Amino acid sequence: KGPDFLLNTQEFADLQWLIYKNDGTEETHPIYGPSTNPAPTLPAWAGDTDWYKTITRKAMIMNHDLSLSGGNENAKFFTGVNYFNQEGIVITNFAKRFSARVNSEFKIKNRVTIGENLTVTGRSRNAISGNGNEGSPIARVYAQQPIIPAIMTTSVTGISHDFVPGEYGGTGLAPRAGNGTQPFSELERNADDRSTDVRILGSMFMDIKILDYLNFRSTFGGTYQNGYNTDWTGSTYELAENRATSAYNENAYFGSDWVWTNSLTFNKTFGSHKLLAVAGYESVKYGIGRSLTATRAGYFSSAPSFRTLNNGAAIQSASSEYNTPTTLQSTFIRADYSYSEKYLLSATVRRDGSSRFGSENRYGTFPSVSAGWRLSEEGFLAGVDFISDLKVRGGYGTMGNQLAVSPVNQFYLYGGSVGDANYAINGSTSSSSQGFRPTRIGNPDAKWETNVTTNIGFDAGLFDNKLQVSFDWYTKLTKDLLYNPPLPGTSGAADQPFINIAEMKNTGIDIQLGYKKIVNSDLSFDATLTLTTYNNTIEKIAEGIDFFSDGGSRIGAFNRNQVGRAVSEFYGYNVIGLFQSATDVENSPVQDGAEEGFFKYQDLNGDNQITPEDRVFIGNPNPDFTWGLNLGANYKSFDISAFFYGSQGNEIFNYNKWWLDFWPSFQNQKSHDLLYNSWTPERTNATTPKASNKSNFSNNTQSVSYYVEDGSFVRLKNLQIGYNFPTSVISKVGLNRARVYVQGVNLFTASKYSGLDPDINNNVDTAFGVDAGAYPLVKQYIFGLNIGF
């Protein structure tokens, strides 16, 4: 069947299938490859194209908007509805959303304006689970041999089950088939899982014009969310390691927040002087709510209609939680001053208070100031014709952060459960008394984390503002960074508190170049290039702590965060080649498990042996720079736009190689490199270690540079072509505008990275840049129609 037969793009050469037949005998068949031409006769089930299934698909997206608006100088209104339906590229996954929005505004005697906005959104989805780790459907494909059928087309006596046609296939078919989970059956079993919620977002305001230059505005708004989730974990029969019992979980929650903002604005011009000043007060409360979750196991039937908690034979867990809300109180004042539009000055002072901190450190004061000088208005540049506008500027500011800490960080908390705190104080063997233990160590002395930012830059308009240039150099120092250092084991199992001890610094530049050209009334085009760089350095972690590791896996942590280095860098042994012979091993530094065809590590400290002291930083997920390019053109009624995005200099830790490139890393799918390009005595220029069942220090048990790849890429993120129908045509059918367009998203990616997608986003602040089966960004083709009447 060629490559498609194996569910991937690999051809296996000179290997054999070992088929276990119903009568207990064994039968071997060579796998299709260069040495089996013509193709061999395969087992009956292998010739049936229904035996395999793909877990991905071409997925449809629908998005519909309808809006109505109108009004006059005293009253305005807007109402709109939206329906969005997106299938996931992984089967059974989807997201649906329906929303409705209403806005209105009314003037009362020219001095008072009142208004409101209200949005109601309902969502339903079946999302993928475990994205970015070995529990995701993408990673599960790597963890299963491609020979294993998704659906049985013939009867087979397996090691865990007697399989019949129509059942799921799995690792329980035969010994040495591995112990991976069957990705297709898992997705189908979870097809009826649902996450649903309803969210209401609204606000109302009153705006009073006290004087022509003095205005007061008060706004009160908030959100309310109510959600319900279901999760079915079915029993299995097809695996080498089966789940004997089905389990069902239901989770319900509600939450709300509110914010009340009041501001007084003064805006007046005095000759060449212009002053805008704002003073305000704001009060916020969020995180209000509760949640409830329960799980039962032991279900007689897997039918969706049977999935209720009361139908489960045994309670596995049941809990509820009260969310500790956070309250914020802020006062602020801001003043913007300009003289003759040449000299610009702005200053802001905020004083913020958060309930996440104790009474002694609850409030923080955060000032900022910026200034600008429009040089193009000065006389000494009057004769420079190509400069249309030129402004230099600089700023210094502070900003507080309290989101890093838990709302209960300041408190000592106690709790308990049957397993960790209850005790049979009377010596009973059938019951116990309720007990408690510390669950959190409090820190009432924590205070606001402070970001101090300094920037210097300029903005220029050249050649009648056809060319726009913007440049910024910035430095950002995070002081009193909130960090929870590990505690010694003598402290118990209580959660450690966040304390203000760490520091981190970022420096970089931002550049933006824009060009716009109007050729004539029919033709125009524009281009904007943006480039961003940053240099990240950890300045301090904690007293006596120079680093901490993150990103755990089957071979330890990949990422090390160390003082003097960038956040989330990769750490491990540097591979300098493969041992080529027994003599090579003998003449090299002492290394555990060393033998020909295995990794040879660099001896950094020169002690003639490979030890943990020889580990080094082997890669950096932080890019040298990122860039974006927007291109647009208009010709008569046609328009075209394109957006390119790129990242340069970042590296990726491709953890998927651990599953694919090493024979003892479970009996799962193996890579083309392992089967075709790995080391042999005749292929000494290989970079992939030899195929061996040995799992040791020199093969697949360590974090090493072999996994690190260049993650640089260029991607066409968006391409859109549209056509606006002439008014003379659409007015005949009662329309005032009509536009059709076709759009492509993520149309191509240029990268040397061997994984599915170099644009890795695993949402871990101190362990990012690791590909462990992440869901890739996919191509989208969108056809749209906008009409107005």
Side-chain angles (χ1 to χ4, degrees):
K1 295 296 180 179
D4 288 341
F5 174 68
L6 296 176
L7 292 182
N8 53 32
T9 58
Q10 303 163 4
E11 290 183 355
F12 291 68
D14 304 325
L15 298 174
Q16 292 184 330
W17 287 333
L18 182 61
I19 306 301
Y20 290 83
K21 301 175 69 176
N22 289 335
D23 59 8
T25 61
E26 299 178 359
E27 183 177 304
T28 60
H29 292 269
I31 291 180
Y32 180 78
S35 65
T36 56
N37 190 15
T41 302
L42 303 177
W45 60 265
D48 187 340
T49 57
D50 291 333
W51 78 278
Y52 70 90
K53 300 288 184 180
T54 59
I55 66 165
T56 58
R57 62 183 174 183
K58 290 181 173 64
M60 296 295 295
I61 302 174
M62 289 193 298
N63 187 52
H64 307 287
D65 285 288
L66 176 65
S67 62
L68 300 171
S69 61
N72 53 39
E73 61 180 10
N74 294 318
K76 300 176 182 178
F77 77 92
F78 171 91
T79 183
V81 294
N82 168 264
Y83 175 72
F84 176 82
N85 187 353
Q86 178 178 3
E87 294 177 332
I89 63 163
V90 172
I91 60 172
T92 74
N93 299 151
F94 71 90
K96 294 181 180 179
R97 181 186 68 238
F98 177 83
S99 61
R101 178 183 171 193
V102 178
N103 295 352
S104 61
E105 183 179 300
F106 305 92
K107 281 189 175 181
I108 304 174
K109 295 184 178 180
N110 296 324
R111 288 287 182 180
V112 178
T113 302
I114 60 174
E116 55 75 34
N117 67 76
L118 179 67
T119 301
V120 180
T121 302
R123 299 184 300 177
S124 177
R125 58 196 179 278
N126 181 331
I128 63 170
S129 60
N131 187 26
N133 60 50
E134 62 183 68
S136 74
I138 302 297
R140 283 172 174 164
V141 172
Y142 294 139
Q144 178 167 283
Q145 295 185 26
I147 191 177
I148 296 173
I151 301 295
M152 300 299 298
T153 59
T154 188
S155 297
V156 175
T157 300
I159 60 173
S160 64
H161 176 76
D162 291 340
F163 295 82
V164 299
E167 289 187 328
Y168 295 124
T171 53
L173 275 166
R176 290 174 290 182
N179 62 348
T181 303
Q182 218 263 54
F184 180 75
S185 63
E186 283 292 288
L187 289 167
E188 284 208 331
R189 286 189 174 103
N190 296 334
D192 294 297
D193 291 352
R194 292 292 182 271
S195 295
T196 59
D197 63 49
V198 175
R199 186 169 186 256
I200 302 173
L201 169 66
S203 68
M204 52 187 177
F205 73 89
M206 178 176 63
D207 193 288
I208 303 175
K209 191 174 185 180
I210 302 172
L211 300 170
D212 290 343
Y213 52 83
L214 187 63
N215 200 78
F216 173 77
R217 186 181 181 93
S218 181
T219 303
F220 182 84
T223 65
Y224 178 82
Q225 187 173 15
N226 197 323
Y228 205 88
N229 305 320
T230 63
D231 179 38
W232 171 259
T233 304
S235 60
T236 61
Y237 55 81
E238 72 277 8
L239 305 177
E241 298 175 357
N242 283 307
R243 289 190 300 265
T245 305
S246 298
Y248 177 64
N249 172 268
E250 291 191 12
N251 166 258
Y253 64 92
F254 71 87
S256 64
D257 58 70
W258 57 261
V259 55
W260 183 31
T261 305
N262 299 277
S263 61
L264 186 65
T265 303
F266 177 89
N267 189 358
K268 192 173 176 66
T269 300
F270 308 90
S272 299
H273 305 272
K274 185 176 181 180
L275 178 64
L276 171 65
V278 180
Y281 169 85
E282 187 172 75
S283 181
V284 181
K285 188 172 185 177
Y286 64 92
I288 310 165
R290 289 187 72 103
S291 61
L292 171 69
T293 183
T295 303
R296 297 194 73 145
Y299 282 81
F300 174 77
S301 170
S302 62
S305 58
F306 194 74
R307 299 176 190 175
T308 63
L309 288 175
N310 57 307
N311 282 337
I315 296 177
Q316 283 194 330
S317 64
S319 63
S320 63
E321 182 178 357
Y322 170 73
N323 299 336
T324 302
T326 297
T327 57
L328 293 170
Q329 187 182 68
S330 304
T331 54
F332 55 90
I333 185 169
R334 175 184 174 184
D336 296 332
Y337 168 77
S338 68
Y339 175 73
S340 298
E341 297 296 330
K342 291 193 298 183
Y343 311 109
L344 311 170
L345 181 66
S346 178
T348 302
V349 178
R350 290 187 61 95
R351 182 166 174 79
D352 298 310
S354 172
S355 64
R356 299 190 179 206
F357 304 113
S359 57
E360 296 296 323
N361 299 306
R362 183 152 295 168
Y363 287 90
T365 302
F366 308 102
S368 63
V369 63
S370 62
W373 179 16
R374 182 164 276 111
L375 294 170
S376 56
E377 296 296 318
E378 299 291 355
F380 56 79
L381 287 180
V384 185
D385 296 335
F386 71 91
I387 298 179
S388 308
D389 186 32
L390 177 61
K391 180 176 70 175
V392 295
R393 48 184 167 71
Y396 171 87
T398 60
M399 182 173 64
N401 176 37
Q402 49 92 39
L403 294 176
V405 301
S406 166
V408 296
N409 187 69
Q410 60 185 293
F411 303 112
Y412 285 82
L413 299 181
Y414 296 84
S417 65
V418 173
D420 62 16
N422 289 13
Y423 186 73
I425 195 168
N426 294 321
S428 172
T429 59
S430 59
S431 64
S432 60
S433 300
Q434 186 174 14
F436 298 92
R437 67 171 181 86
T439 58
R440 169 176 284 277
I441 299 173
N443 176 27
D445 298 323
K447 60 183 180 180
W448 285 82
E449 184 178 290
T450 303
N451 297 317
V452 182
T453 304
T454 303
N455 73 288
I456 300 173
F458 69 87
D459 301 309
L462 308 175
F463 308 107
D464 294 328
N465 286 318
K466 294 177 182 177
L467 177 63
Q468 299 285 333
V469 182
S470 181
F471 173 87
D472 275 282
W473 171 88
Y474 69 88
T475 177
K476 178 182 176 182
L477 177 64
T478 303
K479 300 192 302 183
D480 297 323
L481 195 150
L482 290 156
Y483 169 67
N484 56 339
L487 297 176
T490 53
S491 299
D495 293 338
Q496 63 265 36
F498 281 81
I499 56 180
N500 300 92
I501 48 177
E503 287 188 6
M504 187 167 62
K505 185 178 182 180
N506 288 287
T507 60
I509 61 172
D510 293 330
I511 301 174
Q512 181 171 296
L513 303 174
Y515 181 75
K516 186 172 184 178
K517 175 69 174 180
I518 300 177
V519 180
N520 52 47
S521 58
D522 291 333
L523 178 63
S524 65
F525 59 87
D526 61 86
T528 302
L529 173 66
T530 303
L531 184 144
T532 298
T533 73
Y534 73 89
N535 182 26
N536 172 265
T537 307
I538 299 173
E539 301 285 318
K540 179 183 177 184
I541 296 178
E543 193 67 34
I545 298 178
D546 294 328
F547 71 89
F548 67 92
S549 300
D550 205 348
S553 72
R554 294 180 181 269
I555 56 174
F558 310 136
N559 306 86
R560 173 174 284 200
N561 299 273
Q562 181 169 308
V563 173
R565 309 287 304 198
V567 66
S568 195
E569 287 193 58
F570 308 132
Y571 192 76
Y573 294 96
N574 186 38
V575 176
I576 58 175
L578 301 176
F579 290 109
Q580 298 299 324
S581 63
T583 302
D584 189 10
V585 172
E586 184 178 347
N587 294 333
S588 299
V590 177
Q591 179 176 315
D592 184 37
E595 64 178 79
E596 57 184 19
F598 279 1
F599 287 132
K600 179 194 290 187
Y601 302 139
Q602 184 178 9
D603 181 15
L604 290 173
N605 59 8
D607 63 357
N608 205 37
Q609 57 182 336
I610 303 301
T611 65
E613 284 69 33
D614 292 307
R615 290 176 298 172
V616 67
F617 287 94
I618 54 178
N620 189 346
N622 297 279
D624 296 331
F625 63 89
T626 59
W627 59 273
L629 177 63
N630 274 297
L631 300 174
N634 292 274
Y635 178 71
K636 294 185 177 180
S637 296
F638 291 93
D639 61 84
I640 183 172
S641 62
F643 174 57
F644 293 85
Y645 175 76
S647 178
Q648 183 65 40
N650 62 294
E651 291 169 305
I652 297 172
F653 196 101
N654 188 355
Y655 179 47
N656 301 311
K657 284 185 172 182
W658 186 83
W659 298 91
L660 299 175
D661 288 358
F662 300 94
W663 205 264
S665 297
F666 291 94
Q667 296 297 311
N668 49 265
Q669 181 179 172
K670 299 304 175 184
S671 69
H672 185 277
D673 274 346
L674 176 65
L675 300 173
Y676 279 81
N677 302 323
S678 57
W679 187 93
T680 67
E682 297 75 35
R683 191 163 49 226
T684 57
N685 62 342
T687 58
T688 301
K690 67 181 179 181
S692 169
N693 271 332
K694 292 182 180 179
S695 177
N696 61 32
F697 179 84
S698 296
N699 192 20
N700 72 328
T701 66
Q702 303 298 313
S703 173
V704 300
S705 59
Y706 176 78
Y707 299 100
V708 179
E709 298 186 38
D710 182 6
S712 304
F713 69 91
V714 176
R715 169 168 282 162
L716 178 55
K717 296 279 287 186
N718 189 72
L719 177 65
Q720 186 178 111
I721 301 174
Y723 177 77
N724 293 280
F725 290 92
T727 305
S728 58
V729 175
I730 61 176
S731 60
K732 297 178 181 179
V733 292
L735 300 177
N736 58 31
R737 69 178 185 277
R739 181 175 184 268
V740 294
Y741 66 90
V742 58
Q743 180 179 358
V745 179
N746 301 321
L747 291 182
F748 77 81
T749 302
S751 177
K752 296 180 180 179
Y753 180 57
S754 66
L756 290 179
D757 191 346
D759 195 0
I760 302 297
N761 182 12
N762 47 5
N763 297 317
V764 183
D765 293 338
T766 54
F768 58 88
V770 177
D771 185 359
Y775 196 104
L777 295 176
V778 297
K779 294 178 183 178
Q780 297 180 27
Y781 302 97
I782 301 171
F783 302 89
L785 170 66
N786 295 332
I787 58 175
F789 50 89

